[in-house]
Amino acid sequence: MSDCLFCKIAAGQIPCTEIFADDDFLAFGDIDPQAPTHILVIPRRHISGLSDLTTEDSLLAGKLLTRATQIAADEGLNSNGYRFVINNGQDGGQTVGHLHLHILGGRSLDWPPG
Ligand code: AMP
Ligand code: ZN
């Protein structure tokens, strides 16, 4: 999608701190980190958010989760744990309309969320 920030990052038109890339996904550091490790994992294909996933996306959605767990392990987060967050829509706090999974780790995280 031409006016989507994360599509532009995936296309290399806007720089990012790349952490992982393959044909399906890109992972990069969040520009405003909320924890010592704060990584965003996005599908290269534009999907607006969780609400737009269809059953045809099941394989991609599963791969998103397993890819993110691999990245978390590679970042050394398995020993102390970590959190995945996917915000969806206005009440969910989603600010970028391209599906993305937050990997947060490196400190103890509060619960419940605000
Ligand atoms: P969300 O609020 O779940 O939609 O998350 C969007 C995330 O994208 C926020 O954590 C932002 O800090 C992050 N973000 C926005 N612009 C950029 C950018 N250019 N590079 C990296 N992260 C960004
Ligand atoms: Zn997009």
mmCIF file with all atom_site columns, all heavy atoms in Angstrom, residues 1 4 6-7 46 97-98, ligand 2:
data_model
loop_
_atom_site.group_PDB
_atom_site.id
_atom_site.type_symbol
_atom_site.label_atom_id
_atom_site.label_alt_id
_atom_site.label_comp_id
_atom_site.label_asym_id
_atom_site.label_entity_id
_atom_site.label_seq_id
_atom_site.pdbx_PDB_ins_code
_atom_site.Cartn_x
_atom_site.Cartn_y
_atom_site.Cartn_z
_atom_site.occupancy
_atom_site.B_iso_or_equiv
_atom_site.pdbx_formal_charge
_atom_site.auth_seq_id
_atom_site.auth_comp_id
_atom_site.auth_asym_id
_atom_site.auth_atom_id
_atom_site.pdbx_PDB_model_num
ATOM   1  N  N   . MET A 1 1  ? 0.861  -1.191 0.000  1.00 0.00 ? 1  MET A N   1
ATOM   2  C  CA  . MET A 1 1  ? 0.000  0.000  0.000  1.00 0.00 ? 1  MET A CA  1
ATOM   3  C  C   . MET A 1 1  ? 0.894  1.237  0.000  1.00 0.00 ? 1  MET A C   1
ATOM   4  O  O   . MET A 1 1  ? 1.796  1.350  0.832  1.00 0.00 ? 1  MET A O   1
ATOM   5  C  CB  . MET A 1 1  ? -0.918 -0.017 1.234  1.00 0.00 ? 1  MET A CB  1
ATOM   6  C  CG  . MET A 1 1  ? -1.967 1.057  1.211  1.00 0.00 ? 1  MET A CG  1
ATOM   7  S  SD  . MET A 1 1  ? -3.007 1.004  2.690  1.00 0.00 ? 1  MET A SD  1
ATOM   8  C  CE  . MET A 1 1  ? -4.307 -0.090 2.141  1.00 0.00 ? 1  MET A CE  1
ATOM   9  N  N   . CYS A 1 4  ? 1.493  3.567  3.229  1.00 0.00 ? 4  CYS A N   1
ATOM   10 C  CA  . CYS A 1 4  ? 1.647  2.859  4.502  1.00 0.00 ? 4  CYS A CA  1
ATOM   11 C  C   . CYS A 1 4  ? 3.110  2.923  4.961  1.00 0.00 ? 4  CYS A C   1
ATOM   12 O  O   . CYS A 1 4  ? 4.024  2.524  4.224  1.00 0.00 ? 4  CYS A O   1
ATOM   13 C  CB  . CYS A 1 4  ? 1.193  1.401  4.346  1.00 0.00 ? 4  CYS A CB  1
ATOM   14 S  SG  . CYS A 1 4  ? 1.599  0.376  5.777  1.00 0.00 ? 4  CYS A SG  1
ATOM   15 N  N   . PHE A 1 6  ? 4.791  1.157  7.185  1.00 0.00 ? 6  PHE A N   1
ATOM   16 C  CA  . PHE A 1 6  ? 5.531  -0.104 7.294  1.00 0.00 ? 6  PHE A CA  1
ATOM   17 C  C   . PHE A 1 6  ? 5.726  -0.760 5.926  1.00 0.00 ? 6  PHE A C   1
ATOM   18 O  O   . PHE A 1 6  ? 6.707  -1.485 5.738  1.00 0.00 ? 6  PHE A O   1
ATOM   19 C  CB  . PHE A 1 6  ? 4.851  -1.045 8.287  1.00 0.00 ? 6  PHE A CB  1
ATOM   20 C  CG  . PHE A 1 6  ? 5.057  -0.633 9.736  1.00 0.00 ? 6  PHE A CG  1
ATOM   21 C  CD1 . PHE A 1 6  ? 4.447  -1.340 10.763 1.00 0.00 ? 6  PHE A CD1 1
ATOM   22 C  CD2 . PHE A 1 6  ? 5.865  0.448  10.075 1.00 0.00 ? 6  PHE A CD2 1
ATOM   23 C  CE1 . PHE A 1 6  ? 4.642  -0.974 12.098 1.00 0.00 ? 6  PHE A CE1 1
ATOM   24 C  CE2 . PHE A 1 6  ? 6.058  0.823  11.405 1.00 0.00 ? 6  PHE A CE2 1
ATOM   25 C  CZ  . PHE A 1 6  ? 5.438  0.105  12.422 1.00 0.00 ? 6  PHE A CZ  1
ATOM   26 N  N   . CYS A 1 7  ? 4.840  -0.514 4.968  1.00 0.00 ? 7  CYS A N   1
ATOM   27 C  CA  . CYS A 1 7  ? 5.112  -0.972 3.600  1.00 0.00 ? 7  CYS A CA  1
ATOM   28 C  C   . CYS A 1 7  ? 6.351  -0.262 3.049  1.00 0.00 ? 7  CYS A C   1
ATOM   29 O  O   . CYS A 1 7  ? 7.177  -0.877 2.362  1.00 0.00 ? 7  CYS A O   1
ATOM   30 C  CB  . CYS A 1 7  ? 3.915  -0.701 2.683  1.00 0.00 ? 7  CYS A CB  1
ATOM   31 S  SG  . CYS A 1 7  ? 2.577  -1.912 2.816  1.00 0.00 ? 7  CYS A SG  1
ATOM   32 N  N   . HIS A 1 46 ? 0.990  -6.207 2.818  1.00 0.00 ? 46 HIS A N   1
ATOM   33 C  CA  . HIS A 1 46 ? 0.155  -5.312 3.617  1.00 0.00 ? 46 HIS A CA  1
ATOM   34 C  C   . HIS A 1 46 ? -1.110 -6.022 4.094  1.00 0.00 ? 46 HIS A C   1
ATOM   35 O  O   . HIS A 1 46 ? -1.932 -6.456 3.299  1.00 0.00 ? 46 HIS A O   1
ATOM   36 C  CB  . HIS A 1 46 ? -0.238 -4.061 2.827  1.00 0.00 ? 46 HIS A CB  1
ATOM   37 C  CG  . HIS A 1 46 ? -1.058 -3.114 3.654  1.00 0.00 ? 46 HIS A CG  1
ATOM   38 N  ND1 . HIS A 1 46 ? -0.482 -2.167 4.475  1.00 0.00 ? 46 HIS A ND1 1
ATOM   39 C  CD2 . HIS A 1 46 ? -2.393 -2.999 3.833  1.00 0.00 ? 46 HIS A CD2 1
ATOM   40 C  CE1 . HIS A 1 46 ? -1.434 -1.507 5.113  1.00 0.00 ? 46 HIS A CE1 1
ATOM   41 N  NE2 . HIS A 1 46 ? -2.606 -1.990 4.747  1.00 0.00 ? 46 HIS A NE2 1
ATOM   42 N  N   . GLY A 1 97 ? -1.325 1.243  10.693 1.00 0.00 ? 97 GLY A N   1
ATOM   43 C  CA  . GLY A 1 97 ? -2.301 0.327  10.113 1.00 0.00 ? 97 GLY A CA  1
ATOM   44 C  C   . GLY A 1 97 ? -1.709 -0.724 9.198  1.00 0.00 ? 97 GLY A C   1
ATOM   45 O  O   . GLY A 1 97 ? -2.157 -0.924 8.056  1.00 0.00 ? 97 GLY A O   1
ATOM   46 N  N   . HIS A 1 98 ? -0.673 -1.375 9.682  1.00 0.00 ? 98 HIS A N   1
ATOM   47 C  CA  . HIS A 1 98 ? -0.044 -2.512 8.995  1.00 0.00 ? 98 HIS A CA  1
ATOM   48 C  C   . HIS A 1 98 ? 0.300  -3.496 10.104 1.00 0.00 ? 98 HIS A C   1
ATOM   49 O  O   . HIS A 1 98 ? 1.038  -3.136 11.037 1.00 0.00 ? 98 HIS A O   1
ATOM   50 C  CB  . HIS A 1 98 ? 1.201  -2.031 8.235  1.00 0.00 ? 98 HIS A CB  1
ATOM   51 C  CG  . HIS A 1 98 ? 1.951  -3.097 7.481  1.00 0.00 ? 98 HIS A CG  1
ATOM   52 N  ND1 . HIS A 1 98 ? 2.277  -2.959 6.127  1.00 0.00 ? 98 HIS A ND1 1
ATOM   53 C  CD2 . HIS A 1 98 ? 2.471  -4.289 7.874  1.00 0.00 ? 98 HIS A CD2 1
ATOM   54 C  CE1 . HIS A 1 98 ? 2.964  -4.035 5.737  1.00 0.00 ? 98 HIS A CE1 1
ATOM   55 N  NE2 . HIS A 1 98 ? 3.084  -4.850 6.783  1.00 0.00 ? 98 HIS A NE2 1
HETATM 56 ZN ZN  . ZN  B 2 .  ? 1.471  -1.639 4.811  1.00 0.00 ? 2  ZN  B ZN  1
#
